[in-house]
Amino acid sequence: MSSDSRPVVAIVTNLERDLNYPFPGYPRAMLNEDYPRSVAAAGGVPILLPPMRDVSLLSRQLDAAGALLLAGGQDVDPLLYDQSPLVGTQMPSPVRDAYEYEALRLAFERNLPILAICRGVQLLNVFLGGTLHQDLERAGTNLRHVGTDEPEAGAHRVAIAADSTLAGVLGRTEATVNSFHHQAIDRVADGLRVVATAPDGIVEAVEFPGRPLLGVQWHPEMMSRTSADAQAIFRWFVGLASRRPVSGRQVSEDGSSGTSTDAAIR
């Protein structure tokens, strides 16, 4: 595949105040290198979208993209799912939350393929009307969901629904994943289907039947140097982006064209 025909994948970055920067506390757009590396290794062209207060440019930005990737990062603001912040919940990034809400709105409107990772799947669930466990210590689990110092190492196994897209991508119904999160999906939003769970029942992956969408709670981008499963997820995702049709036609979950259905978007 020539470079000019490779599909473009838009990745929203973090917006952080870096205390180690020469100007401590100055807001910076930041992203772990694993995300663009994984997209490029799967045959895509990554472009980075820094969150901004002015979301009016997002439509033009996404015109250049065949897919949207939501990355990990800060906790989603609990006020977005009508809860007060609890002790242990991190300070949110209202600018990023609002920017990714608009990115999701446009992606659903255009039926862009979406891969939502860690915070990304949590924000996706909240965007569609679901809620989160603000801290897993309050969720009644003693399974360790914050992994080791080795990001590529597996932390626990997940059970995958046999009839899911994820099972088809991986070729089996069980996988070992890493884990670096203290929040997780609580009430699942209408339209989403849980397709993978941890041994303690925590939601680990969701899909939206009829749409080219996958959300995972683990970090396949951190595992993609050596993990065939992680590589398969990114190949599937970039493959959907490469088949994105033009002239208003839509692409379904399995890559076939058709008309998009309305989502229960908040």
Side-chain angles (χ1 to χ4, degrees), residues 15-247:
L15 189 63
E16 300 180 1
R17 295 185 180 274
D18 187 355
L19 297 180
N20 296 316
Y21 189 56
F23 305 101
Y26 203 79
R28 304 182 71 199
M30 304 174 69
L31 186 74
N32 288 351
E33 182 267 347
D34 287 328
Y35 291 102
R37 176 188 54 76
S38 297
V39 168
V45 175
I47 60 173
L48 306 186
L49 304 184
M52 298 182 293
R53 294 182 184 277
D54 180 4
V55 300
S56 64
L57 300 179
L58 254 172
S59 181
R60 285 291 303 276
Q61 289 173 310
L62 289 180
D63 283 346
L68 174 67
L69 193 158
L70 297 183
Q74 304 96 328
D75 290 353
V76 177
D77 190 346
L79 296 177
L80 293 175
Y81 48 99
D82 299 323
Q83 292 185 16
S84 298
L86 302 177
V87 174
T89 299
Q90 301 167 0
M91 289 296 293
S93 173
V95 173
R96 184 180 178 189
D97 288 344
Y99 188 85
E100 290 186 323
Y101 256 49
E102 178 64 6
L104 279 172
R105 187 190 70 78
L106 291 168
F108 269 83
E109 182 180 90
R110 303 176 186 193
N111 211 28
L112 285 177
I114 298 170
L115 177 60
I117 293 175
C118 197
R119 166 199 154 92
V121 72
Q122 296 168 11
L123 183 109
L124 169 70
N125 185 61
V126 172
F127 171 77
L128 292 173
T131 65
L132 304 179
H133 293 292
Q134 289 193 43
D135 197 284
L136 290 179
E137 289 187 3
R138 298 185 177 90
T141 178
N142 59 6
L143 183 69
R144 187 177 69 184
H145 284 273
V146 178
T148 68
D149 293 333
E150 297 294 332
E152 295 184 5
H156 60 74
R157 299 190 70 77
V158 296
I160 304 170
D163 61 344
S164 65
T165 295
L166 180 59
V169 169
L170 301 185
R172 60 179 184 280
T173 59
E174 191 176 65
T176 299
V177 301
N178 59 11
S179 191
F180 297 95
H181 63 105
H182 79 107
Q183 297 192 322
I185 290 175
D186 183 6
R187 187 182 77 245
V188 180
D190 292 342
L192 292 181
R193 178 196 175 198
V194 176
V195 298
T197 55
D200 57 359
I202 292 296
V203 174
E204 289 285 338
V206 297
E207 297 173 2
F208 197 125
R211 286 186 177 272
L213 180 155
L214 174 65
V216 296
Q217 185 58 72
W218 67 92
H219 284 270
E221 82 286 356
M222 289 182 173
M223 306 181 78
S224 66
R225 292 185 189 275
T226 58
S227 167
D229 287 347
Q231 293 164 4
I233 288 172
F234 278 96
R235 284 197 303 270
W236 166 82
F237 177 55
V238 171
L240 286 182
S242 71
R243 296 196 297 275
R244 183 195 173 205
V246 294
S247 303

